[in-house]
């Protein structure tokens, strides 16, 4: 297998899908050597079968706004691969959602889920609906209309969606309620549910906590710790909030936070009280991060990302492609020693190359942000057994899973000079498990 040839073939089949092609290119380039050690893979055309989703589901969603007007959005579900377990992946409600972005996310999700060692395949879905600025009634009616189409394709042993950007506890509750209403079944068909109806403790915190646990393990490979380190964090949603919380708990000093309008820089650090304000601002009032700057008298930069500020560590927790090549060079010039991705593919290929050429600690999101889906898997287990584990039990299992992911990345990613290529390690470890399962199951 030559990665470049496979990518060119996929470009011809799927023109105008740059995000998907970017994700595939990054993975194939790192697994090519390992793949070619297994001639049986090529005979069964395994790489192309792995790159192309099992199915792409898309549908129209009609809903009624508060003024009685009918609105129409698009809904999607990309069921990418279920070789190692039921399809698993989030639902994203955001104007940017399209087939291209969801295909890249579902592809990445397949490897991320494999890394957790839990029995979960890869999927992703969502809609171009924007919940921001909508009333609870409008969000509920949209979610009900969306689930009325989606319910045919999901189930506890088939496909178990979760939340993602724009889909939090409120949306998951409305989606779950409509599934139950239609099917008359109380099943674990969504994760990220409320505590009252089958949700797991630690699930809201999991992606952020897992990101920091992985970052901590990376630093240990160089005899470093988080204590006293300044950290740039982007985003202001769940992942960013709980990344900041865990950083504070482990003695680091997060100094930035951002939303789509701009970022704040607090040189004194975001402490527990300031974080509580951010959580109330974003989760309850759904305000803008600029209000933090006004309240605490700190720097706010409109329409920019925080990568120009000086710090020891950067952890992008907002969205894809938020660190480009120029931003990566700026981070390196300012002395950043580690980058741990809380978001999905937030660094462009140029940025990744810059980090790796500089030999800093860099981990892709498929490994460092796998804590969210890992805890979703733990929620699935609790639902299946009709059990509820304590906060401490879930956190302990999450920490153990992130440690294991790090160990596998080191195992498959350590290069002859001792540098740990976390991109290669994560891709190879995730790929081998899925590939071997596909081979064992024949052509299906």
């Amino acid at each position: 297998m030559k990665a470049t040839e496979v990518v060119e073939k996929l470009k011809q089949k799927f023109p105008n899908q740059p995000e998907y092609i970017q994700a595939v290119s990054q993975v194939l380039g790192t697994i090519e050597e390992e793949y070619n050690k297994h001639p049986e893979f090529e005979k069964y055309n395994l790489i192309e079968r792995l790159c192309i989703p099992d199915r792409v589901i898309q549908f129209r969603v009609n809903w009624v706004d508060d003024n009685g007007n009918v609105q129409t959005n698009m809904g999607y579900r990309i069921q990418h691969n279920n070789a190692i377990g039921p399809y698993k992946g989030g639902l994203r409600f955001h104007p940017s959602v399209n087939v291209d972005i969801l295909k890249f996310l579902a592809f990445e999700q397949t490897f991320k889920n494999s890394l957790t060692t839990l029995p979960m395949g890869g999927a992703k879905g969502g809609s171009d609906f924007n919940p921001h600025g909508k009333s609870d009634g409008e969000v509920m009616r949209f979610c009900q209309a969306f689930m009325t189409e989606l319910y045919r394709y999901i189930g506890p042993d088939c496909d178990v969606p979760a939340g993602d950007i724009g889909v939090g506890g409120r949306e998951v509750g409305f989606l779950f309620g409509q599934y139950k209403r239609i099917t008359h079944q109380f099943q674990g068909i969504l994760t990220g549910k409320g505590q009252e109806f089958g949700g797991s403790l630690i699930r809201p915190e999991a992606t952020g906590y897992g990101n920091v646990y992985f970052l901590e393990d990376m630093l240990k490979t160089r005899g470093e710790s988080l204590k006293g380190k300044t950290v740039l964090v982007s985003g202001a949603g769940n992942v960013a909030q709980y990344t900041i919380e865990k950083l504070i708990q482990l003695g680091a000093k997060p100094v930035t936070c951002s939303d789509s309008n701009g970022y704040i820089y607090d040189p004194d650090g975001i402490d527990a009280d300031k974080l509580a304000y951010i959580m109330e601002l974003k989760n309850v009032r759904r305000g803008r991060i600029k209000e933090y700057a006004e309240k605490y008298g700190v720097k706010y930069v409109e329409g920019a990302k925080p990568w120009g500020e000086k710090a020891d560590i950067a952890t992008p927790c907002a969205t894809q492609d938020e660190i480009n090549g120029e931003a990566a060079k700026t981070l390196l010039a300012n002395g950043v020693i580690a980058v741990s991705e809380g978001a999905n593919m937030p660094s462009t290929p140029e940025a990744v190359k810059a980090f790796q050429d500089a030999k800093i600690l860099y981990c892709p999101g498929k490994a460092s942000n796998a804590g969210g889906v890992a805890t979703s898997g733990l929620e699935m287990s609790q639902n299946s057994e009709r059990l509820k584990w304590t906060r401490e039990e879930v956190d302990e299992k999450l920490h153990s899973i992130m440690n294991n992911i790090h160990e596998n990345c080191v195992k498959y990613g350590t290069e002859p000079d001792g540098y740990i290529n976390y991109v290669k390690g994560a891709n190879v470890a995730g790929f081998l498990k899925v590939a071997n399962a596909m081979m064992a199951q024949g052509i299906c």
Side-chain angles (χ1 to χ4, degrees):
M1 182 267 288
K2 288 188 177 179
T4 53
E5 292 179 0
V6 177
V7 171
E8 283 305 313
K9 192 173 182 180
L10 291 171
K11 282 181 180 178
Q12 292 173 16
K13 284 190 176 184
F14 308 108
N16 306 314
Q17 295 188 359
E19 303 278 1
Y20 166 68
I21 295 299
Q22 178 185 330
V24 169
S25 300
Q26 288 181 336
V27 170
L28 297 193
T30 56
I31 68 172
E32 183 173 353
E33 181 181 351
E34 185 66 32
Y35 182 92
N36 289 330
K37 293 177 183 177
H38 302 270
E40 67 275 16
F41 289 172
E42 189 69 11
K43 180 180 178 181
Y44 283 86
N45 192 27
L46 189 137
I47 199 64
E48 193 170 4
R49 291 166 52 206
L50 180 56
C51 289
I52 298 174
D54 291 347
R55 62 191 58 83
V56 175
I57 301 159
Q58 58 184 64
F59 46 88
R60 184 184 65 197
V61 184
N62 296 323
W63 57 283
V64 181
D65 66 21
D66 286 344
N67 295 319
N69 297 317
V70 176
Q71 303 291 336
T72 299
N73 288 94
M74 290 301 298
Y76 308 93
R77 187 66 175 171
I78 312 295
Q79 295 178 331
H80 190 87
N81 187 288
N82 66 349
I84 62 174
Y87 299 108
K88 186 82 190 79
L91 295 172
R92 175 176 294 192
F93 292 169
H94 191 271
S96 66
V97 166
N98 56 41
V99 170
D100 175 30
I101 286 177
L102 294 179
K103 278 180 68 176
F104 120 63
L105 292 170
F107 179 79
E108 290 277 298
Q109 195 77 46
T110 298
F111 293 95
K112 183 191 303 183
N113 293 359
S114 175
L115 281 171
T116 69
T117 72
L118 299 174
M120 301 181 294
K124 208 73 176 183
S127 173
D128 56 0
F129 171 78
N130 187 1
H132 184 72
K134 303 291 193 304
S135 69
D136 286 349
E138 288 176 322
V139 172
M140 180 185 71
R141 290 190 292 276
F142 172 80
C143 288
Q144 289 174 340
F146 182 87
M147 182 55 77
T148 299
E149 295 297 325
L150 182 65
Y151 87 96
R152 300 170 175 86
Y153 309 105
I154 64 175
D157 297 312
C158 170
D159 184 348
V160 184
D164 194 72
I165 295 172
V167 181
R170 173 183 63 169
E171 289 78 13
V172 168
F174 292 149
L175 291 164
F176 181 83
Q178 184 69 355
Y179 181 90
K180 182 167 64 75
R181 178 187 191 185
I182 294 169
T183 65
H184 300 174
Q185 300 291 317
F186 192 107
Q187 298 175 318
I189 53 89
L190 283 153
T191 55
K193 299 185 294 298
Q195 296 297 309
E196 304 83 359
F197 55 103
S200 174
L201 292 165
I202 301 291
R203 178 59 191 92
E205 299 92 333
T207 307
Y209 280 16
N211 180 28
V212 179
Y213 291 151
F214 197 98
L215 172 60
E216 188 178 35
D217 283 342
M218 284 204 301
L219 290 169
K220 286 177 182 176
T221 67
R222 296 193 178 179
E224 298 275 1
S225 75
L226 279 165
K227 194 167 182 61
K229 297 287 193 302
T230 55
V231 186
L232 304 178
V233 181
S234 67
N238 261 12
V239 181
Q241 291 171 17
Y242 290 111
T243 290
I244 290 171
E245 181 171 275
K246 185 56 67 173
L247 286 170
I248 294 169
Q249 291 174 4
L250 295 178
K253 184 170 82 168
V255 293
T256 65
C257 194
S258 69
D259 59 22
S260 57
N261 287 5
Y263 76 89
I264 58 100
Y265 172 70
D266 188 338
D268 294 330
I270 300 170
D271 59 22
D273 290 339
K274 293 174 179 176
L275 176 60
Y277 173 78
I278 292 173
M279 289 180 168
E280 190 270 339
L281 171 69
K282 302 303 288 189
N283 303 346
V284 181
R285 293 195 285 118
R286 304 187 187 277
R288 310 310 292 171
I289 201 64
K290 182 179 182 180
E291 296 176 46
Y292 178 104
E294 294 166 351
K295 178 176 175 63
Y296 293 105
V298 301
K299 176 180 175 181
Y300 173 74
V301 183
E302 184 84 18
K305 298 177 177 62
W307 313 126
E309 303 295 342
K310 190 172 178 59
D312 302 305
I313 296 166
T315 177
C317 298
T319 189
Q320 67 266 15
D321 293 336
E322 58 175 301
I323 300 181
N324 60 23
E326 287 303 311
K329 290 176 185 176
T330 302
L331 288 168
L332 293 170
N334 283 338
V336 162
I337 62 170
V339 176
S340 184
E341 296 185 342
N344 291 301
M345 209 169 74
S347 304
T348 66
E350 294 77 19
V352 174
K353 185 177 186 305
F355 295 145
Q356 292 183 324
D357 287 348
K359 301 289 186 180
I360 69 164
L361 296 166
Y362 164 73
C363 183
K366 67 168 58 69
S368 50
N369 82 2
V373 75
T375 305
S376 284
L378 298 177
E379 182 175 331
M380 290 167 65
S381 297
Q382 292 171 79
N383 290 169
S384 295
E385 298 182 69
R386 300 293 194 269
L387 294 176
K388 190 170 184 64
W389 298 331
T390 66
R391 181 183 179 87
E392 291 72 26
E393 286 176 304
V394 178
D395 196 24
E396 182 180 354
K397 293 177 191 296
L398 168 63
H399 205 158
S400 177
I401 288 170
M402 297 311 297
N403 290 157
N404 289 336
I405 293 173
H406 183 266
E407 287 175 11
N408 276 325
C409 288
V410 171
K411 176 181 177 180
Y412 291 106
T414 302
E415 297 182 342
D417 64 358
Y419 176 67
I420 302 170
N421 184 334
Y422 284 96
V423 175
K424 178 182 178 182
N427 287 339
V428 172
F431 162 74
L432 284 175
K433 182 176 180 181
V434 177
N436 289 328
M438 290 174 69
M439 289 295 295
Q441 294 167 25
I443 308 302
C444 59

